[in-house]
Amino acid sequence: MAQGCVYLVGAGPGDPDLLTVKALRLIQGAEVVVFDRLVSDEILDLIPTGTTRIYAGKALNRHAMPQDEINALLLNLARAGRRVVRLKGGDPFTFGRGSEEAEHLARHHVRFEVVPGITAAAGCSAYAGIPLTHRGLATGVRYVTGHLRDNNELDHDWARLVDGDTTLVCYMGLVTLPEIVRGLLDAGLDPATPAAVVQNGTTPRQRHVLATVATLADQVAEAGLKSPATIIIGKVVALADTLNWFAPGEVHIEEVRRLG
Ligand code: SAH
């Protein structure tokens, strides 16, 4: 791996076996690893002793390190000729702000490479037995954020998100789950649409709730699910009954009717 280069590396959703070969090689060869809150302990254990670790994690509404400081840190490390791995949960280019960091490096003519990782949608869906597309149930999939804008509003055109043939995956939506559900139902989504929330997907701490859009928010509150959690809404969720091969933790399953 090159000196003075920043590798923006996806660590996947948690299970260390889901790292790419390239990610593992880069982690093992780095001089400095700058990592996020969502990178699992099992993956951090793969960083060699002697490698400098810098935590740049962010908790919701509590910015441990502001984005411009992270950008400046990566720039300075690269300019100092270090081999830098910027390790991010999931995929760096999916709700990961990896593109902002890459833009900053590009603007300052610092070399970087992007190593894709398994994004939460792929990891959680696979480990909860929910295919994102399935013949006859979903012809497409859509990823959206449930994170509030600065004005504290969810800025979605709900009518455009209501589509019985498209699976909807919502990142960062646990806190706003009641608003998301209300927005979709008000815009005409069938309340019987199967829906799931997967917490700590792909790890031994995975827990998930299967319900319908009408009951999801209450069931998730009752089960006490915590972040990180990913919401999956669509007819494909009904397949979890039969495809649920990985169930390490407590699972709440409501009988869902297969639509379509
Ligand atoms: N770049 C990441 C997403 C970062 S945004 C990726 O590609 O996956 C953070 C959100 O990702 C969380 O709020 C949650 O919605 C989701 N997430 C990340 N890891 C997760 C996990 N192990 N289980 C469930 N959701 C997860």
Side-chain angles (χ1 to χ4, degrees), residues 60-130:
L60 195 66
N61 299 329
R62 274 181 289 131
H63 288 240
M65 196 186 276
Q67 189 63 47
D68 49 358
E69 263 178 50
I70 299 173
N71 293 348
L73 173 71
L74 297 177
L75 191 64
N76 291 338
L77 289 168
R79 281 182 170 160
R82 313 297 290 277
R83 294 190 300 266
V84 187
V85 164
R86 170 67 173 118
L87 195 56
K88 291 179 159 288
D91 175 68
F93 272 11
T94 307
F95 300 123
R97 302 187 80 167
S99 44
E100 293 175 34
E101 294 168 14
E103 264 188 319
H104 187 75
L105 296 168
R107 217 177 296 127
H108 291 88
H109 310 290
V110 165
R111 279 189 52 209
F112 63 90
E113 284 188 26
V114 183
V115 181
I118 291 184
T119 192
C124 292
S125 62
Y127 279 56
I130 301 168

Side-chain angles (χ1 to χ4, degrees), residues 43-252:
I43 289 173
L44 294 178
D45 286 346
L46 298 170
I47 302 173
T49 45
T51 301
T52 307
R53 300 167 183 222
I54 302 176
Y55 177 65
K58 284 175 233 145
L60 195 66
N61 299 329
R62 274 181 289 131
H63 288 240
M65 196 186 276
Q67 189 63 47
D68 49 358
E69 263 178 50
I70 299 173
N71 293 348
L73 173 71
L74 297 177
L75 191 64
N76 291 338
L77 289 168
R79 281 182 170 160
R82 313 297 290 277
R83 294 190 300 266
V84 187
V85 164
R86 170 67 173 118
L87 195 56
K88 291 179 159 288
D91 175 68
F93 272 11
T94 307
F95 300 123
R97 302 187 80 167
S99 44
E100 293 175 34
E101 294 168 14
E103 264 188 319
H104 187 75
L105 296 168
R107 217 177 296 127
H108 291 88
H109 310 290
V110 165
R111 279 189 52 209
F112 63 90
E113 284 188 26
V114 183
V115 181
I118 291 184
T119 192
C124 292
S125 62
Y127 279 56
I130 301 168
L132 292 177
T133 66
H134 187 86
R135 209 145 45 91
L137 296 180
T139 53
V141 53
R142 186 157 188 179
Y143 298 169
V144 297
T145 173
H147 192 56
L148 297 174
R149 298 221 144 198
D150 293 340
N151 60 5
N152 270 354
E153 296 219 354
L154 266 176
D155 204 13
H156 289 310
D157 180 346
W158 297 108
R160 286 182 50 207
L161 296 183
V162 174
D163 173 1
D165 297 322
T166 298
T167 306
L168 188 64
V169 180
C170 185
Y171 289 67
M172 297 171 279
L174 190 65
V175 174
T176 50
L177 180 60
E179 283 91 330
I180 292 166
V181 162
R182 194 171 334 114
L184 291 169
L185 291 176
D186 287 352
L189 186 68
D190 182 345
T193 305
V197 174
V198 184
Q199 170 194 320
N200 286 123
T202 81
T203 76
R205 300 168 300 282
Q206 176 173 318
R207 295 173 68 212
H208 64 261
V209 163
L210 300 179
T212 64
V213 173
T215 56
L216 187 67
D218 284 347
Q219 302 282 11
V220 165
E222 199 170 306
L225 292 197
K226 300 272 176 335
S227 276
T230 295
I231 306 165
I232 306 174
I233 296 173
K235 294 172 193 159
V236 286
V237 173
L239 289 174
D241 265 1
T242 21
L243 304 185
N244 182 26
W245 58 273
F246 177 79
E250 206 183 309
V251 182
H252 178 91

Side-chain angles (χ1 to χ4, degrees), residues 31-48:
E31 288 174 297
V32 185
V33 176
V34 181
F35 64 97
D36 273 347
R37 183 175 57 96
L38 280 176
V39 178
S40 69
D41 291 343
E42 292 88 341
I43 289 173
L44 294 178
D45 286 346
L46 298 170
I47 302 173

